[in-house]
Amino acid sequence: MNGELEEVIRKIRRRGLVQLPEGLVHLIPKISDLARKFKKEVIFDIDPTYGACDIRLCEARASSCDTIIHVGHAKILDVGKVLYVPWRREANVEKIIEKLRKIKGRKCVATTINFAWLLDYVKEVEGVVLGRGSGRVPGEGIVLGCDTSVCNVQADINIFIGDGYFHPLAMGINTGRETLAIRPHGGVERIAYNKFLKRRLALIGMAEGRNVGIIISSKPGQNRMALAMELRDVAEENGYSVRLYISDYLYPHYLTGLPEDFFVFTGCPRVATDDTFEKPVLTPEEFLLKLGYLKKYRIDWFTSIKSLPADNEG
Ligand code: SF4
């Protein structure tokens, strides 16, 4: 990563805004030293950085930065001068391959950008299929929490390689296939996505009352203003009284005291499904499922109701 950091810091014209995920704040002294060496100035953004959909344009403007350096994620947005520095996470490649070889049938394998280097080894294993995915995903076999389009392939089982639950849950829910997670150290976990599904369906049922708050995200890569307007229209057509809200982050206490029965959050679906809110917070799909516009539960990224497949059964 040092070489890449050096390269991007050289490209700052005068002052750069640096975004680091939580796990990489130890790079701050290194980046400061490099900036000093190349006679550039850097400002560190200490807001949380969850993904490449979260580019801090306002902060860059407010601090007169000519460049944003975004560490740890790959480009999914075309906005201004943003330089990306990949973050390669280490993993036990031998163990992962050994576990993969033991799994029978056609295996749809996907991982996050930090483990993308593993795919060169993984694709040699018999039965492995890597999907291409939509324009939002940065490459073959790469999954985002809100985009599992690389799983749109013929397969018997999904295998997610990496940490966390949201990505493999989305893979399982969207395809209906058995889904395993192979962890970076080689451990294997079966993903019980039906439990998640049951919990979310129960929550959709609990979203009662006619006052709904539709929340728009101000993050450039999570802003779905047009979808929020469409949701407002269909909600009103269905007899709901709608108020619109906008926020950057959405922490549970932001909703305290707001006069709504439940909310629909149009930003990152991971936030809405966090289950830490006092009142139900639904994703756009969950709200559309409640209204009968969708027939099947999904976790996706879509920007207009019109773009949903007509039968939406798949
Ligand atoms: S899951 Fe959330 S954080 Fe990840 S790319 Fe999608 S919107 Fe961004």
Side-chain angles (χ1 to χ4, degrees):
M1 181 184 263
N2 285 353
E4 283 123 341
L5 277 176
E6 201 168 310
E7 201 180 307
V8 294
I9 287 167
R10 275 171 186 276
K11 288 185 183 157
I12 297 172
R13 219 176 316 133
R14 195 172 69 84
R15 183 183 297 141
L17 182 85
V18 181
Q19 286 188 261
L20 293 164
E22 220 178 289
L24 289 180
V25 290
H26 64 271
L27 290 173
I28 290 176
K30 168 105 216 152
I31 295 172
S32 307
D33 289 349
L34 285 170
R36 224 168 280 125
K37 180 174 162 191
F38 298 119
K39 299 194 171 23
K40 314 282 178 170
E41 186 163 45
V42 282
I43 297 182
F44 295 95
D45 185 319
I46 51 174
D47 289 306
T49 298
Y50 295 119
C53 53
D54 189 4
I55 303 291
R56 311 301 293 171
L57 297 178
C58 290
E59 288 69 12
R61 247 193 320 269
S63 54
S64 305
C65 288
D66 51 76
T67 308
I68 297 176
I69 296 181
H70 187 99
V71 185
H73 306 110
K75 178 177 175 171
I76 58 174
L77 275 184
D78 229 343
V79 282
K81 189 174 170 192
V82 186
L83 305 174
Y84 296 83
V85 183
W87 173 29
R88 174 185 151 129
R89 296 267 318 274
E90 291 314 315
N92 188 331
V93 64
E94 288 82 17
K95 272 220 167 122
I96 291 171
I97 300 295
E98 181 194 315
K99 295 288 164 61
L100 260 182
R101 286 207 174 108
K102 287 188 181 151
I103 301 164
K104 303 268 174 284
R106 273 173 75 82
K107 303 171 265 283
C108 167
V109 176
T111 187
T112 57
I113 190 72
N114 314 109
F115 295 105
W117 62 273
L118 281 170
L119 295 175
D120 281 343
Y121 302 90
V122 162
K123 67 182 180 202
E124 302 303 328
V125 176
E126 199 187 324
V128 164
V129 195
L130 301 180
R132 283 198 169 281
S134 72
R136 189 167 164 86
V137 297
E140 208 179 52
I142 309 291
V143 69
L144 301 176
C146 59
D147 192 324
T148 62
S149 51
V150 294
C151 299
N152 297 342
V153 291
Q154 288 289 326
D156 305 305
I157 187 167
N158 295 324
I159 316 284
F160 170 73
I161 302 177
D163 298 311
Y165 290 94
F166 195 72
H167 296 85
L169 277 171
M171 287 168 66
I173 285 170
N174 290 347
T175 60
R177 282 182 209 132
E178 181 185 4
T179 300
L180 301 178
I182 304 186
R183 301 310 188 183
H185 49 81
V188 179
E189 256 181 273
R190 190 168 304 277
I191 301 298
Y193 61 84
N194 278 329
K195 269 195 197 159
F196 171 91
L197 204 53
K198 240 169 129 178
R199 224 176 44 236
R200 292 309 295 178
L201 291 175
L203 192 94
I204 295 172
M206 281 158 58
E208 288 174 336
R210 305 315 286 174
N211 294 311
V212 54
I214 296 181
I215 308 169
I216 300 146
S217 169
S218 60
K219 292 186 192 302
Q222 294 185 20
N223 178 274
R224 293 190 278 181
M225 182 64 190
L227 176 65
M229 297 299 101
E230 288 180 4
L231 292 172
R232 177 204 55 196
D233 292 347
V234 294
E236 286 177 351
E237 278 161 25
N238 282 274
Y240 286 92
S241 165
V242 178
R243 265 180 285 257
L244 299 169
Y245 297 88
I246 185 160
S247 72
D248 181 350
Y249 292 96
L250 183 65
Y251 293 114
H253 65 277
Y254 286 14
L255 304 184
T256 305
L258 297 185
E260 312 302 345
D261 297 312
F262 68 96
F263 297 88
V264 180
F265 181 56
T266 57
C268 174
R270 281 175 90 150
V271 175
T273 53
D274 213 10
D275 289 343
T276 50
F277 298 98
E278 261 173 51
K279 291 179 184 171
V281 176
L282 307 184
T283 64
E285 280 104 326
E286 288 172 342
F287 188 45
L288 291 171
L289 199 64
K290 185 174 182 68
L291 297 182
Y293 286 74
L294 262 180
K295 295 189 179 68
K296 188 177 176 289
Y297 191 100
R298 293 192 60 84
I299 300 174
D300 270 324
W301 191 259
F302 67 106
T303 49
S304 168
I305 297 175
K306 294 175 204 95
S307 67
L308 292 172
D311 62 356
N312 62 70
E313 296 284 0

